[in-house]
Amino acid sequence: MARVQNPTTTTLGYALFATRWLQAPLYFGLVAAQGVYVYKFFKELWTLIVMCVSGHATETYVMLAVLKLVDVVMIANLLIMVIVGGYETFVSRIGLQGHRDQPEWLSHVNSNVLKVKLATAIVGISSVHLLQMFVDVHHTSRHALLWGTVIHMAFIVSAAILAYMSGPMVAQAGHSQPAHTQVERSRGRDHEDRHQANPEPEAPPVTAALPRQPVPDADAEARIRAAGFPARKLLEDFDEQHPRGFDREAVARLGKADFVTARRNVVFVGPPGTGKTHLAVALGVRACQAGHRVLFATAAEWAARLADARAAGRLDAELTALDDHPLLIVDEVGYTPLDTAAAGLLFQLVAHRYERASLIVTGDRPLGRWDEVFGPSAPALTDRLAHHADIVRLDGDSYRTRRATSAWAD
């Protein structure tokens, strides 16, 4: 049942949330400050060049001047981190997905990650200042040297404490999901019970040239927990010997998770029990490890979620909110009959994400027969879904049926 919201409370909440734009001028002010540091850098560089050309630069002077230049660059880097990371976290998303120069950390930046990165940057700057004191030790008082060392150690301890605390905070954030996310996870547990009763393939690892699985970090684990996967599946655990045929090269390529950055879709089609859900979840896990937020649900569950949003008058807002997840997984298309309204809602989901974000869809029939599921909206839906998509077909008998038959024979 959809929750009825108080219009006054909702309006007040949106108004308060809109005040975040008051911070935008602050970040433009930091851009101006960065310009000041650019001027300072070239001024120091020019002075160093003049001193070296005139022959008045000693080795100590050159070392100190270079350290000043390094100091200016590190502070400018700190400003970039605050400008880009802070704006992304506290004001508005920056649409850099797919840009070749997108920073690696920007895809999973949050307040905790930003604090740790800022703390480590400050430690680096403090290290340069302390090194300047040691290089110019003959002109540095013991009092200044002592306090410089103490302050530097304080920065190191603070950074270590922030780094230690960020792990539990991220883990807690993964558990503190909104109500609709908790419903997804509950549905995911029900889905897991079904899959445990009918397990997916567990056999020799894939022999195709799969990229190595990234080493999970605290953020990746939080994203995996929040995705609502029915169970944790890995590409390395997929039984490639079971399907009679599938494109191993395509699966190996998709395992790099580059399709998410490129905003491409993936469609797995084939009979029940051939490992479509296994591959979809495995690619979702890879995407989480690559820094992307992911959500998993069956087609029926997505239709129910969108129906609740429409009943509450916030369908457009729900579709926009889902843009925060670069990858959505729609499992079991065609397994549960969809009425006209549900088919229309799934079409709106696909149309909204067209060339904007990625989808992984699994179904039991080729796209040419999706009119049996979506009716009149099938041609428009499949056209958008397949335009930028890798379509992988899995042929074979049900793995679950084969195991049951084998157990009976034994």
Side-chain angles (χ1 to χ4, degrees), residues 60 64 133 135-142 144:
T60 301
L64 288 172
M133 291 183 180
V135 170
D136 198 24
V137 67
H138 297 296
H139 299 89
T140 306
S141 65
R142 295 180 61 184

Side-chain angles (χ1 to χ4, degrees), residues 369-392:
R369 292 177 50 198
W370 277 23
D371 58 320
E372 301 170 6
V373 181
F374 295 100
S377 62
L381 184 148
T382 56
D383 179 67
R384 289 167 173 79
L385 182 65
H387 182 207
H388 304 294
D390 290 277
I391 302 176
V392 180

Side-chain angles (χ1 to χ4, degrees), residues 41-58:
F41 176 88
F42 283 103
K43 181 180 178 181
E44 294 286 349
L45 180 61
W46 177 254
T47 302
L48 174 61
I49 293 174
V50 170
M51 291 293 289
C52 290
V53 171
S54 63
H56 295 92
T58 64

Side-chain angles (χ1 to χ4, degrees), residues 20-53:
R20 72 193 191 280
W21 289 104
L22 293 174
Q23 294 190 37
L26 304 182
Y27 292 100
F28 285 106
L30 290 179
V31 172
Q34 189 177 12
V36 172
Y37 270 97
V38 172
Y39 169 78
K40 180 177 176 62
F41 176 88
F42 283 103
K43 181 180 178 181
E44 294 286 349
L45 180 61
W46 177 254
T47 302
L48 174 61
I49 293 174
V50 170
M51 291 293 289
C52 290
V53 171

Side-chain angles (χ1 to χ4, degrees), residues 107-321:
S107 60
H108 53 270
V109 70
N110 57 50
S111 57
N112 293 322
V113 173
L114 187 60
K115 290 175 185 176
V116 173
K117 290 186 177 294
L118 292 178
T120 53
I122 291 173
V123 169
I125 295 171
S126 175
S127 300
V128 173
H129 278 282
L130 190 60
L131 182 58
Q132 287 176 311
M133 291 183 180
F134 281 117
V135 170
D136 198 24
V137 67
H138 297 296
H139 299 89
T140 306
S141 65
R142 295 180 61 184
H143 180 269
L145 192 60
L146 174 63
W147 278 107
T149 304
V150 170
I151 293 172
H152 179 64
M153 294 304 299
F155 284 142
I156 292 177
V157 172
S158 300
I161 292 174
L162 277 175
Y164 174 77
M165 293 177 62
S166 66
M169 287 179 178
V170 171
Q172 183 178 2
H175 291 291
S176 304
Q177 300 295 325
H180 67 269
T181 306
Q182 296 292 346
V183 171
E184 290 168 0
R185 295 177 67 181
S186 175
R187 290 171 176 169
R189 286 192 292 270
D190 294 340
H191 198 90
E192 182 176 2
D193 292 339
R194 297 197 305 269
H195 279 259
Q196 286 176 347
N198 302 288
E200 291 283 344
E202 295 179 2
V206 178
T207 57
L210 289 174
R212 295 185 61 184
Q213 180 180 352
V215 178
D217 57 13
D219 290 340
E221 291 302 312
R223 287 189 292 271
I224 291 172
R225 287 194 297 270
F229 296 126
R232 184 162 182 159
K233 302 290 186 179
L234 303 178
L235 286 179
E236 293 82 357
D237 297 332
F238 182 70
D239 182 2
E240 68 162 357
Q241 304 301 324
H242 172 63
R244 284 195 293 267
F246 74 101
D247 192 340
R248 292 168 175 78
E249 295 297 330
V251 173
R253 183 178 67 254
L254 294 170
K256 300 176 182 178
D258 293 338
F259 71 94
V260 181
T261 304
R263 305 176 187 179
R264 292 181 59 83
N265 301 323
V266 180
V267 182
F268 292 109
V269 294
T274 50
K276 301 182 299 296
T277 300
H278 184 127
L279 291 174
V281 172
L283 292 182
V285 170
R286 285 290 179 92
C288 289
Q289 293 169 339
H292 304 293
R293 298 178 66 192
V294 180
L295 273 182
F296 176 99
T298 65
E301 289 168 348
W302 280 117
R305 173 172 177 162
L306 296 176
D308 290 344
R310 183 179 59 184
R314 52 179 181 82
L315 178 59
D316 291 340
E318 180 71 8
L319 292 172
T320 302

